[in-house]
Amino acid sequence: MNNLPLYGKIEKDNSNMEGYGVNEKMEILRQLPSVDKLINSTEIRRLDGEFSRRIITDAAREVLEETRQAILKGDIIRIDDEDLLAGIFQKLKHESSDRLKEVINGTGVIIHTNLGRAPLPEKAAEKISRISSRYINLEYNLEDGERGHRNDIVRDLLCRITGAEDGMVVNNNAAAVLLVLSAMARGKEVIISRGQLVEIGGSFRVPEVMEQGGAVLVEVGTTNKTYIRDYEVAIGENTGILLKVHTSNYRICGFAHEVSGAELVELGRRHGIPVVEDLGSGILVDLRPRGLGYEPGVMDSIRAGMDIVTFSGDKLLGGPQAGIILGRKEYIEKIKKHPLARAVRIDKFTLAALESTLRLYFDEETAFREIPVLRMATMSLEELERKARALKDMLEDIHPFALVKTEKEYSRIGGGSMPVEQLETRVVSIMPHNMTVNRLDEQLRGYAPPIVGRISQDKFFIDVRTVFDDQVPVIAEAVREVIIGGEAG
Ligand SMILES: *Cc1c(COP(=O)(O)O)cnc(C)c1O
């Protein structure tokens, strides 16, 4: 490990270390103070009330151990108590800083799974903070003073917005699919097109989820073409459901055919078999009038007559991580009663955020304005241009040290949604003269708050589409500090 902190005097010139033997090292080791002496020093005693003795003792032990190793390696040849104390302070400071923190997303990937997918609408965030430190009516019916159910909080909203007959919410969409299969198809056959046996990422693979749900997979058709008759001939005594899975993160183009939801529903009805669709993203608005491509909408599936539809809360819906299950009452009732439902139930913060986010869909203009994912996906080129130019102008004074330009580039929806959609965007590109682009990238990731961009053709890119307005000056300040600061240092 080359990033081991050193708590002593360092001998950099290794040639002096020759003949520097075991005895000398032992002598230095003997000079190390004891843990007790360190933690009872006046400097450390001042930390009482801030850190427990156990935490302080652990930090002191770690610093001593690292110092011991450094001595044995010959990196430290003189003990310095002040350095040891500084080491303990540093460790405790690191200990008390949050690991989970705000990050500035300059990648242009709107639903960035590694960066927490959808940033919540302000209203949803406020709602969480308002209810989380108080008691709430999570499972309490205020009208009759009896026990209520947490699902009731968003069920009516979901039904009103989508036209579904009934609905429920769970922890995420993976859980929703697993629960639906377990409740509706355990020990039964599930018919699915070969072209839809997808892997979503993070090890969610449709065939494996089916196995977990105790269902028997019956593949029909081919990778590129599946027809309704392929499903029909596969139907047998033990068929539990017909399943359609949206191939969220890839597209089969060219010589291809997929069976529509409506066709599948018609077939299911004729044979008395429920039809289930895993939509993945599950968008509640139509993006086409705003210049984007088609993503299968929740309402389209409900209208087509799907018995059950599942989708995520934190993809194109733009809310918190959740799995939403909509559909016919008789199936929802059955799913609710399954023992797994309790294991994958939604928590109160998520429920609060989901309720607030869903309410924004009462009016489509409000949804596009207040839900960050929708706003970012449909941001106008003029706004992108303006934002990029503002950032570039704030970086005017770094010109001697870097070439800063605004350029045309493409953003992505991300989160395995609309994989072929290319959204024209504007980026600010920075080509530093006084450091490598990798160094700039690394320094910006280490900034508070961390800034994540993209590197391409030896330039560092900030795509302003995924940057919030108040973050623009923060990025400018960070870049200036790293590039000009790098010059001064
Ligand atoms: C994303 C996705 C899932 C998993 O949803 P999570 O909310 O991430 O659990 C399942 N199926 C499809 C088709 C998806 O796109």
Side-chain angles (χ1 to χ4, degrees), residues 117 171-177 198 200-201 204 206 245-249 278-281 310-315 321-323 415-417:
R117 285 201 183 154
N171 183 53
N172 59 14
N173 188 33
V177 175
V198 302
I200 302 301
F204 180 90
V206 170
V245 176
H246 178 43
T247 57
S248 307
N249 49 11
D278 171 16
L279 271 175
S281 223
T310 78
F311 53 97
S312 294
D314 55 353
K315 290 186 179 171
Q321 177 190 308
S417 307

Side-chain angles (χ1 to χ4, degrees), residues 39-52:
I39 65 173
N40 289 315
S41 63
T42 25
E43 290 90 335
I44 297 288
R45 272 282 165 197
R46 269 188 224 121
L47 295 172
D48 286 349
E50 200 179 335
F51 296 99
S52 75

Side-chain angles (χ1 to χ4, degrees), residues 170-382:
V170 293
N171 183 53
N172 59 14
N173 188 33
V177 175
L178 177 64
L179 176 61
V180 167
L181 289 172
S182 306
M184 294 176 69
R186 172 160 297 276
K188 292 191 184 152
E189 289 171 356
V190 173
I191 305 179
I192 182 171
S193 160
R194 284 205 168 83
Q196 296 172 4
L197 292 172
V198 302
E199 171 174 317
I200 302 301
S203 79
F204 180 90
R205 292 175 144 189
V206 170
E208 287 165 17
V209 175
M210 257 192 233
E211 195 182 319
Q212 279 299 316
V216 181
L217 174 68
V218 177
E219 305 171 32
V220 297
T222 59
T223 308
N224 56 331
K225 289 208 177 201
T226 303
Y227 301 95
I228 194 72
R229 63 171 182 274
D230 295 325
Y231 289 88
E232 183 141 32
V233 296
I235 291 177
E237 296 238 306
N238 201 29
T239 304
I241 54 181
L242 305 180
L243 180 65
K244 184 172 168 68
V245 176
H246 178 43
T247 57
S248 307
N249 49 11
Y250 72 101
R251 289 285 177 276
I252 296 177
C253 303
F255 193 62
H257 181 79
E258 220 184 33
V259 171
S260 75
E263 278 178 285
L264 214 52
V265 166
E266 192 276 325
L267 180 67
R269 291 279 188 284
R270 244 186 311 120
H271 292 265
I273 299 167
V275 185
V276 174
E277 182 168 21
D278 171 16
L279 271 175
S281 223
I283 187 156
L284 298 177
V285 288
D286 193 349
L287 291 175
R288 283 171 298 181
R290 292 170 204 253
L292 279 89
Y294 176 67
E295 171 77 9
V298 174
M299 280 76 134
D300 297 337
S301 300
I302 300 286
R303 233 177 282 131
M306 282 292 164
D307 294 294
I308 288 291
V309 176
T310 78
F311 53 97
S312 294
D314 55 353
K315 290 186 179 171
L316 279 167
L317 190 144
Q321 177 190 308
I324 299 165
I325 308 174
L326 299 179
R328 298 251 304 276
K329 198 173 188 65
E330 61 171 303
Y331 299 117
I332 297 285
E333 284 299 332
K334 196 168 166 190
I335 296 165
K336 269 187 190 162
K337 288 199 190 93
H338 192 276
L340 250 188
R342 171 64 178 79
V344 298
R345 79 175 179 191
I346 197 162
D347 72 277
K348 59 181 177 176
F349 311 115
T350 308
L351 202 54
L354 186 60
E355 183 189 8
S356 298
T357 307
L358 287 172
R359 255 180 228 298
L360 299 171
Y361 280 98
F362 277 168
D363 174 61
E364 198 166 297
E365 289 310 315
T366 308
F368 276 99
R369 196 176 55 244
E370 297 196 24
I371 298 173
V373 164
L374 294 182
R375 217 182 95 69
M376 288 172 181
T378 57
M379 202 173 275
S380 71
L381 273 181
E382 293 81 66

